[in-house]
Amino acid sequence: MTSVFFPGPRPQELAQGDLLENVEFFRPKRGSYKDNVWAPGLVVSHSCDFTKFRSDEAKGRQGLDLFPLLVAPVLKGSAIPDQGVVGHAKAGRVARYFHLPADEPLEEDHFVDFWFMQPAAVFELLDIPRVASMSDAWQRRLQRRIDRFFSWEDRKETLGPLP
């Protein structure tokens, strides 16, 4: 199996598939968004979105404090209460979760939770330490899963073997 992550972060400052140490996520609770949680986060926006941010910054464009990238929380498999769901998510049959098998720096299976992906200001993300960057093969796998999540393609179809 191809490694999930490179031995260290990519040379770019932010790229799709970057694992960030601790990101603030809001979760609705009883109709309110006041119940924020902190969790590792994965950048799910395309890497070129960050390149556009830097290009706009170099041109002196205003309002870049509002420029967002999408990030999704990364949960330990043990944090998902239904282990049946965990098994189906590992097999690629649960739209909500993208499985990250244990691979340095993750010591156990984790899952990217697409239900709670949300925008975060680039300036804020740049202040969060990057833990790792996905390998090219896993970045492509992530892209296919995001496409499937938003397109509602057949969820029973697995992603197939890694290239």
Side-chain angles (χ1 to χ4, degrees):
M1 176 194 280
T2 305
S3 292
V4 177
F5 298 103
F6 287 126
R10 289 177 183 268
Q12 301 93 332
E13 291 173 279
L14 277 177
Q16 185 180 56
D18 277 354
L19 180 63
L20 305 176
E21 187 175 87
N22 209 20
V23 179
E24 184 177 19
F25 293 96
F26 59 84
R27 290 194 169 206
K29 184 176 182 180
R30 298 184 191 265
S32 161
Y33 287 92
K34 296 177 183 170
D35 199 26
N36 292 359
V37 296
W38 290 86
L42 191 79
V43 176
V44 294
S45 286
H46 290 282
S47 301
C48 65
D49 291 334
F50 179 71
T51 304
K52 291 173 192 169
F53 168 83
R54 282 298 191 213
S55 175
D56 286 350
E57 186 180 51
K59 293 174 186 171
R61 296 237 166 100
Q62 298 300 310
L64 291 179
D65 57 325
L66 300 175
F67 197 107
L69 292 180
L70 288 174
V71 292
V74 177
L75 313 171
K76 291 181 179 180
S78 59
I80 300 171
D82 185 336
Q83 290 304 297
V85 170
V86 170
H88 286 291
K90 283 182 180 181
R93 293 188 299 263
V94 179
R96 175 181 182 174
Y97 296 118
F98 176 64
H99 178 231
L100 300 173
D103 185 34
E104 186 64 36
L106 301 177
E107 295 177 1
E108 63 180 270
D109 287 352
H110 282 68
F111 295 86
V112 178
D113 188 346
F114 290 139
W115 274 8
F116 290 101
M117 79 173 84
Q118 51 205 254
V122 172
F123 286 123
E124 292 177 7
L125 296 177
L126 287 169
D127 287 338
I128 301 171
R130 285 188 306 153
V131 176
S133 294
M134 278 189 169
S135 68
D136 293 339
W138 273 86
Q139 188 182 53
R140 284 189 300 277
R141 193 172 176 84
L142 173 67
Q143 290 165 354
R144 290 195 322 260
R145 271 302 259 121
I146 293 168
D147 287 346
R148 276 181 60 197
F149 177 76
F150 283 112
S151 69
W152 291 93
E153 289 183 27
D154 179 14
R155 302 287 184 217
K156 304 272 185 210
E157 180 182 326
T158 62
L159 290 175
L162 287 171

